[in-house]
Amino acid sequence: MLAARVFVLVHCTSALLLMSAVTARGFTASAAAPQESTQDAAAGRVLLGELGCTACHAPSARQAQWLSPKMAPRLAGIGNRASAAWIQRYLTAPQEVMPGTTMPDVLQARPAAERAAGAEALTHYLASLAPLEFSRVLPDRAAVARGEGLYHRVGCVGCHAPQNTEQSPPPASPFPRIVEKWSFDGLQRFLRDPLASRPSGRMPAMPLTDVEAADIAHYLLRETQVPAPLEVAQYRGRIRSFEELDSAELSRTGPTPGFTLDAMGAARGYALRFSGWLRIDEPGDYTFYLAATGASRLSVRERWLLGGDSWQRESVDAKTTLRLTTGLHVLTVDYVQRGPGVPALKVEWEGPGVARQVIPASRLQSAPASVAAPSAFVVDAAKAATGRALYAQLNCGVCHEARKPPNVPPSLSALNITRGCLSELPTGEALNYHLDAPKRAALRQAVTSLHRADLPAPTSRERLMHTMASFNCTACHVRDGVGGVTPARDAFFMSNGDDLGDRGRLPPPLDGVGDRLTPAWLQRVFVQGASVRPNLNTRMPQYGAANVGHLRDLFVALDRRAEPVRSSTAAPPDAPRVQVEAGRALVGTDGVSCIACHRFNRQPAHALNVIDLVTTTERLNEDWFREFLIDPDRFHPGILMPSFWPKGVSSLPAVLGGNTDRQFSAMWAYLAGGSRATFPEGLNRQNVELIVGGEAVVYRGKLWEAGFRAIAVGYPGQLNAAFDAEAMRLSLLWRGRFLNTAPHWGVQGMGQIRPLGSDVVIFPQGSALAVLTDPKAPWPTGAGKAAGLKFSGSQLGTLNRPTFLYSFRNVGVEDFMTPLDAAGKSGLRRTVTLSDPPPNHLYFRVAVGKITPGRGNTWRLDDALTIRVEGGGKPLVRGTGNQQELLVPVRFSGRNHRLEIEYVW
């Protein structure tokens, strides 16, 4: 009946759970809808979309208005996301591998041997669709801890089961056995952009940064086992003793082949712990040697044997001998950089049949149980060809590629609801979805309701409720008394700020939202994830404009009142300047003191910190704003906001004659200035955040990672850079908010001023220019004057953008940055100009980290930043692991030499 399909998913919305959830939420149809004896038809229409029935059974134009069909996942690159072993098991028995999946059992009618062979052939075909890059990653324990918090805080548990409790509150969209299915890179990419492979939006995109997506991926894959000789942990913060290392905050963990200080790619400030198990094949006396510049100690069998006093001496060179039995023994080495010496660490041993040597990786393992190295999946061309033919025979492309069925199945209007896929035991070409009786009943009722000859178009309310049910909006939001956070999930919806009760922690109700918010703002919320509630941990998911873009018009059609803005006929309107000044007075402490609770242009309020006032006119309809000020509790029962205009009477007779309408107009005119509005009187200035407008903002002073003579620049478009004027180097790039400079004035030693935004990129210490007579020679460690550099100041150009002036060995250098103006790019372009011929063998170090070549003259830095270089000689990438260097030879021609470097997130 239905064409066969292959749903290879991260997880599917369980049709059974979704149906029960819809029914529980009270999904009802109005009198204009098809007559239904139960609510099953409403739930069944959702199921028709979830199961993709209309991919084969074409609905009429009127029927299609009642449905939200879900497209099957795109299969290109599936072999890089899901392991081949998991795919094969899943195709063999979908419901056994992932109970609740909407994937039909496409091979169920075949004998066991043929079923297994078919699943194998399909797996080889799917793996052949793109070059295989599937790999597993040892979980980063620091990221796992962060990911656990994110998963249970940002809204994932609205649809999925909590992972940190034994109880799983229903309903919940099922997970596969994630650790068996996913690669780390594939899961991270999916979490950042699930719509790329699942365009129907049932799995929405959360507003996650690359780092947050990686943290959640590490958490969900926390049980992954990967063979590694040792695990190394890096700690953050100031470590003042070995004992503090035990309770210090983890920065990150990862695998390492041995006791090497570059295992984590750190440049300075090491605080590392190496841990693993040492295998002893022959019992006897073993001698361990520990040599380090810095503080280091060694433990065997959980006893610290060497280096316990190295914290005071800032170095160690010692040995110890102990008797070890055959088997595995816990081995731990701590290292903290201390003193002026060059960091160094060496761990050696000798014993029965072992000459003195560095402990080899073959004798080490990071886990007590041996982990076998994963075998790489190799596509068999013959099996892939068989799978391709089977894929076509089963009509998989009908759902996954939106192809038309070769043999047109009956239309939705011509279905027999007792046969085919809806029969109790589907046979022949019918697919087995493992539908239970409630599901079949709901689907039959839905098809019957859509068979009506006089089928009306759904009303706006019916379309809205159907969309909210399909995308599970009511898991978080309440509308018309339906939906909202269930008691079983209530504890996971918390505020990250002041105690504002439920309004400060729960997603807002949707009653009247089309009257409250402007159409433009509604669209920004649905399509761009706009958010103004700083107290909410939960984030607004993004389902894709094609899936939910119509919600704006539905909310407006259902909620918007045809009422004009109230205005007084007793007094003429005030002059704009008078209005703005009066509005400023009303908002400040001389008026009704809105800033006591509301942020203003990102500056904190006196008490609470709720919605920023500068977004008011951008978000709200003016007539709703006026009505709300008169009686806030009528719109939001229980709200903490008082009414300063009870029954429309102003409590401030001295402002604009106490005329309520004039005061409302004044506040609206003042707030319409948005981020350009002058701060109201009494604004709390403890947070001195620098706000970037249409021109660059420059800060000079001490800055984290940029030194005492930092020059930070905030460019329009939320793009920021920091230059170390003492070392003459680019030190930081980041996106988002610029800086809070309050510590510059309010804290002794100027505090720790750090970037407020995200996606921070730290560039290496030392000079960016150096002479290397041998391209393999190590990069000099000197900086500033020691490296031949001299700072000459800076010049402010158009839009307040600075050019940094310095010299290298008397060669003048001009260093200038500007935001990229290319569409779709978020980044900065840096121009470095040398005005005199440079010395021979001069190189410019662009970046240090994990460097992956891209197309043309581009490289990917630490999987976070794309770098493009133009000018100079052929770029050179040298080094290994996370300490690779991207170098560009400087070549002089004409009157000057110029390097163009783009940094794109």
Side-chain angles (χ1 to χ4, degrees):
M1 179 179 174
L2 292 175
R5 301 172 302 158
V6 181
F7 278 79
V8 184
L9 308 178
V10 186
H11 57 82
C12 304
T13 302
S14 165
L16 172 60
L17 291 176
L18 191 142
M19 189 200 84
S20 62
V22 171
T23 303
R25 294 175 194 135
F27 186 109
T28 58
S30 71
Q35 298 300 311
E36 301 161 1
S37 59
T38 68
Q39 296 174 333
D40 280 0
R45 288 195 295 271
V46 174
L47 281 174
L48 282 171
E50 296 305 301
L51 297 176
C53 303
T54 55
C56 291
H57 305 288
S60 67
R62 181 55 55 86
Q63 289 171 334
Q65 296 180 40
W66 288 91
L67 302 171
S68 297
K70 181 177 73 174
M71 179 182 174
R74 293 168 176 154
L75 298 179
I78 184 64
N80 298 327
R81 304 192 298 271
S83 77
W86 186 90
I87 293 174
Q88 186 168 336
R89 289 196 304 272
Y90 185 62
L91 293 175
T92 303
Q95 285 292 335
E96 292 180 15
V97 174
M98 187 175 163
T101 180
T102 53
M103 163 78 181
D105 199 342
V106 296
L107 301 171
Q108 55 92 20
R110 299 168 184 253
E114 186 178 343
R115 181 185 182 91
E120 182 182 17
L122 284 169
T123 301
H124 279 268
Y125 170 62
L126 294 174
S128 73
L129 297 177
L132 287 180
E133 298 177 356
F134 184 92
S135 63
R136 301 192 187 279
V137 172
L138 188 70
D140 179 338
R141 290 188 286 113
V144 167
R146 296 191 300 266
E148 179 178 9
L150 283 167
Y151 176 87
H152 294 97
R153 183 172 69 243
V154 301
C156 303
V157 294
C159 293
H160 301 291
Q163 301 287 297
N164 58 3
T165 177
E166 294 182 359
Q167 297 181 344
S168 178
S173 296
F175 276 140
R177 181 92 168 105
I178 291 181
V179 72
E180 294 177 359
K181 175 186 176 181
W182 278 99
S183 70
F184 171 80
D185 289 340
L187 183 54
Q188 181 189 16
R189 287 195 301 269
F190 178 80
L191 292 172
R192 282 285 281 137
D193 186 14
L195 297 176
S197 58
R198 298 183 59 187
S200 293
R202 268 52 170 190
M203 166 67 185
M206 303 298 289
L208 299 174
T209 65
D210 286 336
V211 172
E212 289 175 330
D215 288 346
I216 295 178
H218 275 293
Y219 173 61
L220 295 177
L221 294 168
R222 60 192 177 277
E223 297 178 3
T224 301
Q225 294 184 330
V226 177
L230 292 171
E231 181 190 73
V232 58
Q234 185 178 38
Y235 297 85
R236 69 172 81 248
R238 184 183 178 189
I239 309 298
R240 292 171 292 187
S241 68
F242 280 132
E243 289 69 26
E244 286 191 359
L245 202 61
D246 295 325
S247 57
E249 181 185 359
L250 269 179
S251 174
R252 52 180 172 162
T253 69
T256 176
F259 301 96
T260 170
L261 292 184
D262 63 0
M264 302 302 288
R268 71 187 196 283
Y270 297 94
L272 305 175
R273 170 166 289 173
F274 301 86
S275 57
W277 276 258
L278 173 66
R279 191 186 79 249
I280 299 298
D281 295 335
E282 184 177 343
D285 292 335
Y286 288 83
T287 301
F288 292 86
Y289 302 86
L290 177 65
T293 303
S296 183
R297 60 178 179 170
L298 178 146
S299 167
V300 181
R301 296 189 303 194
E302 299 183 342
R303 290 178 54 207
W304 295 109
L305 303 175
L306 295 174
D309 62 345
S310 63
W311 195 273
Q312 290 74 32
R313 295 192 291 111
E314 298 178 351
S315 68
V316 60
D317 188 356
K319 67 178 181 178
T320 187
T321 301
L322 70 161
R323 182 170 293 274
L324 295 176
T325 59
T326 302
L328 295 175
H329 300 272
V330 176
L331 178 64
T332 306
V333 173
D334 287 347
Y335 179 88
V336 181
Q337 181 185 353
R338 286 181 59 76
V342 177
L345 173 67
K346 180 182 286 188
V347 180
E348 299 176 300
W349 75 331
E350 64 179 337
V354 179
R356 180 172 174 175
Q357 60 182 277
V358 172
I359 302 176
S362 60
R363 289 296 192 101
L364 299 168
Q365 58 189 62
S366 61
S370 180
V371 179
S375 57
F377 182 80
V378 179
V379 174
D380 183 300
K383 291 178 180 178
T386 302
R388 181 171 60 250
L390 183 58
Y391 184 89
Q393 178 187 342
L394 295 173
N395 294 326
C396 304
V398 171
C399 291
H400 291 282
E401 300 158 40
R403 295 180 184 174
K404 292 183 178 180
N407 299 316
V408 180
S411 67
L412 193 62
S413 299
L415 286 184
N416 185 327
I417 61 174
T418 64
R419 300 177 58 188
C421 300
L422 293 180
S423 62
E424 293 187 20
L425 294 173
T427 59
E429 294 185 358
L431 296 182
N432 189 352
Y433 285 88
H434 296 274
L435 301 173
D436 58 17
K439 280 186 181 181
R440 287 195 302 273
L443 288 167
R444 289 168 177 167
Q445 188 69 30
V447 173
T448 300
S449 71
L450 296 173
H451 277 182
R452 289 179 50 187
D454 59 344
L455 180 68
T459 65
S460 294
R461 181 178 182 277
E462 288 161 347
R463 290 186 63 206
L464 175 65
M465 295 304 292
H466 180 83
T467 301
M468 291 179 65
S470 295
F471 294 96
N472 206 18
C473 305
T474 47
C476 295
H477 298 280
V478 178
R479 182 175 171 91
D480 296 337
V482 177
V485 177
T486 62
R489 285 180 162 80
D490 184 78
F492 297 101
F493 289 78
M494 301 302 294
S495 172
N496 61 17
D498 303 292
D499 183 8
L500 300 173
D502 287 349
R503 293 193 58 79
R505 67 183 187 87
L506 297 179
L510 300 182
D511 295 299
V513 70
D515 188 48
R516 177 167 74 249
L517 302 178
T518 66
W521 185 259
L522 282 170
Q523 193 72 354
R524 285 188 60 188
V525 172
F526 294 137
V527 176
Q528 300 175 18
S531 176
V532 293
R533 298 177 183 271
N535 299 88
L536 289 185
N537 279 322
T538 307
R539 302 177 186 180
M540 176 65 187
Q542 292 299 286
Y543 297 90
N547 300 313
V548 297
H550 61 284
L551 284 178
R552 175 196 63 182
D553 295 338
L554 292 177
F555 277 117
V556 171
L558 289 167
D559 297 342
R560 190 72 178 111
R561 299 171 299 166
E563 296 182 9
V565 175
R566 290 172 48 130
S567 60
S568 172
T569 58
D574 297 294
R577 184 174 179 179
V578 173
Q579 282 187 324
V580 170
E581 286 302 316
R584 179 171 177 266
L586 286 164
V587 169
T589 50
D590 293 337
V592 296
S593 196
C594 304
I595 57 173
C597 298
H598 286 273
R599 295 171 183 259
F600 192 95
N601 206 359
R602 302 177 185 171
Q603 303 301 320
H606 294 171
L608 305 178
N609 277 294
V610 295
I611 297 176
D612 198 318
L613 289 173
V614 300
T615 68
T616 299
T617 61
E618 183 181 13
R619 295 183 300 109
L620 302 180
N621 287 308
E622 186 177 356
D623 56 340
W624 187 93
F625 169 78
R626 290 166 174 261
E627 296 293 333
F628 175 73
L629 291 179
I630 292 173
D631 189 3
D633 193 69
R634 175 166 70 91
F635 293 90
H636 298 310
I639 192 171
L640 297 177
M641 180 172 170
S643 172
F644 295 96
W645 292 268
K647 298 182 179 180
V649 178
S650 174
S651 59
L652 295 170
V655 180
L656 298 178
N659 184 285
T660 296
D661 288 323
R662 292 173 65 195
Q663 290 179 354
F664 286 168
S665 295
M667 292 181 69
W668 189 263
Y670 169 61
L671 295 176
S675 59
R676 299 182 302 277
T678 305
F679 286 141
E681 289 298 325
L683 185 66
N684 187 348
R685 301 271 183 150
Q686 291 180 0
N687 177 24
V688 188
E689 181 174 347
L690 300 181
I691 306 300
V692 181
E695 62 181 19
V697 173
V698 180
Y699 162 81
R700 292 175 172 85
K702 182 182 177 183
L703 182 65
W704 173 78
E705 288 290 346
F708 285 86
R709 297 181 63 192
I711 304 177
V713 187
Y715 297 92
Q718 295 197 318
L719 301 164
N720 313 287
F723 186 82
D724 184 342
E726 186 170 6
M728 272 69 77
R729 70 180 183 97
L730 175 66
S731 53
L732 295 170
L733 294 178
W734 72 98
R735 292 194 294 181
R737 295 163 61 190
F738 186 38
L739 296 173
N740 171 24
T741 59
H744 186 96
W745 293 276
V747 180
Q748 185 176 1
M750 293 180 288
Q752 288 290 321
I753 300 177
R754 291 171 174 258
L756 290 178
S758 60
D759 299 328
V760 180
V761 179
I762 303 174
F763 287 87
Q765 296 288 326
S767 170
L769 289 164
V771 173
L772 302 178
T773 55
D774 181 355
K776 296 182 180 179
W779 195 263
T781 57
K785 293 182 179 179
L789 291 157
K790 181 180 179 181
F791 188 61
S792 303
S794 62
Q795 294 179 345
L796 293 180
T798 305
L799 298 177
N800 209 39
R801 297 173 184 178
T803 298
F804 302 112
L805 307 174
Y806 52 98
S807 61
F808 175 76
R809 297 190 182 183
N810 297 322
V811 176
V813 182
E814 296 182 2
D815 203 334
F816 175 74
M817 299 189 80
T818 186
L820 287 171
D821 56 7
K825 283 189 176 182
S826 175
L828 292 159
R829 176 182 288 110
R830 181 184 185 187
T831 303
V832 180
T833 304
L834 279 69
S835 59
D836 294 300
N840 294 329
H841 311 295
L842 180 63
Y843 287 81
F844 188 91
R845 185 167 66 169
V846 179
V848 176
K850 177 186 175 184
I851 297 173
T852 307
R855 295 182 178 179
N857 297 325
T858 65
W859 291 265
R860 190 73 175 161
L861 174 63
D862 293 331
D863 297 324
L865 193 72
T866 297
I867 299 177
R868 181 181 183 88
V869 180
E870 296 290 345
K874 183 178 180 180
L876 166 67
V877 176
R878 65 181 195 172
T880 59
N882 295 325
Q883 285 294 291
Q884 294 175 285
E885 295 176 308
L886 175 59
L887 309 182
V888 180
V890 178
R891 301 286 185 265
F892 196 87
S893 62
R895 300 182 59 184
N896 56 42
H897 174 75
R898 176 176 295 175
L899 288 176
E900 297 279 354
I901 307 170
E902 291 185 359
Y903 307 96
V904 180
W905 281 274

